[in-house]
Amino acid sequence: ERLISETLKLTAGLRYQLISYDYDNRMISGRTREDGTPCGFGGCRFSRPGDRQDSFRNWSPRLGLVWDWQEHHQVFASLTRGYRAPQATELYRLQNTQQVARIDPVKLTAFELGFRGQTEKSDYTLSLFAMNKDNFIFRDTNRLNVDNGRTSHRGLELEYRYQFNAAWSAALAMTLARHRYENNPLLSRSPLDGNDIDTAPETLGSARIGWRPASSLSLELEWVHVGRYYEDPENQHPYDGHDLLNFRGRWQMHPGMIAQFRIMNLTDQDYAERADFAFGNDRYFVGTPRAVFLGLEVTF
């Protein structure tokens, strides 16, 4: 960190990352049964790679500026380059006729511009971001682990908290973003360049209202929002998203005993934790229906 002036600060960082794998195959290498005999019609689904070593080395730089444009209010900006090395399952859990997974690290270039500050009753953070991801790793239409995907991510994030008085408070956290494919990875036989990324909602957020009628009792009502997204990379099957309500409470009965409760999905809304399109049908990973939790915490 370096102060350029009384109100402007420069931040810079550099990280070196080294990840090494030493893979020892204790079975027969290749695409056979465990006794070495060939599989039947269609062949074995999985292929066992031979012993190998892999290493990934990357430098991740970061440059940022923070400007105190008013007392308790700042403007900040940053430019970052990050990497993610392939995981062991992506390198060695091979399928079909794949003998070696030649996969390079995922690269992410990110720019962020934001504003943050606080007043007597509130604090806020508003940031705009633009990110480009290169060489993302995926399983293609032939069920092979490959890289070379490219995506872009543009959006804004808002966090805001307000204290009305000693008893009432509110908080909001929202994200509005657009996530797109920027080339034609073999996730589909159709062109994907320019399509929205599947299972990536445009809007995400939550809001909370808190009430503290007494120092020993607090209640909170929470709204959770997941926006509309596509279930498939071709953008043919949408999921409309969902909105949930949760209710929580905490009561300190005396210094050594606290009772608490949670009612999740207060309105018993039908929703999917995740939705996708597979085998010709919409597929929903069903969310939890209304659930009530009671707890008692005792301190001796």
Side-chain angles (χ1 to χ4, degrees):
E1 295 185 354
R2 182 178 179 84
L3 287 175
I4 299 175
S5 69
E6 292 183 356
T7 59
L8 185 62
K9 181 173 66 175
L10 171 70
T11 63
L14 186 64
R15 182 182 68 183
Y16 177 71
Q17 177 177 284
L18 167 64
I19 294 181
S20 297
Y21 297 103
D22 188 352
Y23 178 77
D24 180 14
N25 178 22
R26 300 188 180 185
M27 272 288 292
I28 303 170
S29 300
R31 192 184 178 202
T32 66
R33 293 192 177 96
E34 59 184 44
D35 61 359
T37 59
C39 294
F41 177 78
C44 301
R45 177 174 179 178
F46 295 101
S47 176
R48 295 179 292 272
D51 297 351
R52 55 181 293 185
Q53 295 178 337
D54 295 279
S55 295
F56 302 93
R57 301 172 175 85
N58 298 107
W59 291 95
S60 297
R62 182 183 186 278
L63 185 66
L65 288 170
V66 179
W67 175 40
D68 296 320
W69 68 283
Q70 283 186 13
E71 188 177 7
H72 306 305
H73 298 275
Q74 294 179 331
V75 178
F76 60 92
S78 66
L79 181 63
T80 308
R81 188 71 181 270
Y83 295 87
R84 179 182 75 78
Q87 298 175 355
T89 53
E90 295 168 335
L91 288 169
Y92 310 121
R93 194 171 187 263
L94 308 183
Q95 301 198 27
N96 296 335
T97 58
Q98 193 173 22
Q99 300 298 316
V100 176
R102 302 190 183 280
I103 298 175
D104 293 323
V106 182
K107 302 175 184 178
L108 181 72
T109 304
F111 174 75
E112 183 180 25
L113 173 65
F115 310 85
R116 63 189 173 212
Q118 61 184 33
T119 66
E120 183 179 351
K121 292 188 175 183
S122 67
D123 61 85
Y124 68 91
T125 302
L126 173 65
S127 59
L128 304 114
F129 63 87
M131 297 188 292
N132 291 325
K133 186 187 293 185
D134 294 320
N135 208 53
F136 83 78
I137 301 167
F138 61 96
R139 182 167 294 172
D140 67 9
T141 54
N142 295 316
R143 297 188 305 191
L144 304 182
N145 293 328
V146 298
D147 51 20
N148 80 13
R150 291 203 309 270
T151 61
S152 65
H153 312 264
R154 308 283 187 269
L156 61 87
E157 296 178 336
L158 171 66
E159 291 187 24
Y160 183 75
R161 288 183 290 271
Y162 191 84
Q163 188 75 40
F164 296 96
N165 51 44
W168 290 93
S169 63
L172 174 69
M174 290 294 296
T175 299
L176 172 63
R178 192 74 182 268
H179 311 275
R180 289 181 171 177
Y181 293 107
E182 295 297 336
N183 67 346
N184 292 303
L186 292 178
L187 289 165
S188 167
R189 293 180 173 85
S190 303
L192 300 181
D193 192 359
N195 281 13
D196 290 340
I197 297 176
D198 44 303
T199 68
E202 290 187 4
T203 55
L204 286 168
S206 66
R208 302 188 306 274
I209 295 178
W211 182 39
R212 195 181 182 101
S215 60
S216 61
L217 177 64
S218 61
L219 301 171
E220 180 184 81
L221 181 65
E222 179 188 41
W223 165 65
V224 178
H225 169 75
V226 174
R228 183 178 185 270
Y229 60 81
Y230 287 106
E231 302 172 5
D232 57 321
E234 298 85 4
N235 290 179
Q236 298 296 315
H237 302 86
Y239 172 69
D240 290 333
H242 58 262
D243 296 278
L244 304 177
L245 288 176
N246 302 318
F247 188 45
R248 302 179 180 90
R250 179 183 175 92
W251 176 33
Q252 185 159 7
M253 304 167 67
H254 60 73
M257 184 176 294
I258 297 174
Q260 52 192 338
F261 73 89
R262 288 180 294 143
I263 306 176
M264 311 302 290
N265 192 3
L266 183 65
T267 59
D268 202 22
Q269 177 76 28
D270 291 333
Y271 72 101
E273 291 282 359
R274 183 171 67 87
D276 61 20
F277 188 82
F279 309 108
N281 292 288
D282 297 289
R283 185 169 61 167
Y284 302 107
F285 296 82
V286 179
T288 306
R290 183 192 296 119
V292 179
F293 301 87
L294 301 175
L296 183 65
E297 180 180 324
V298 180
T299 303
F300 297 97

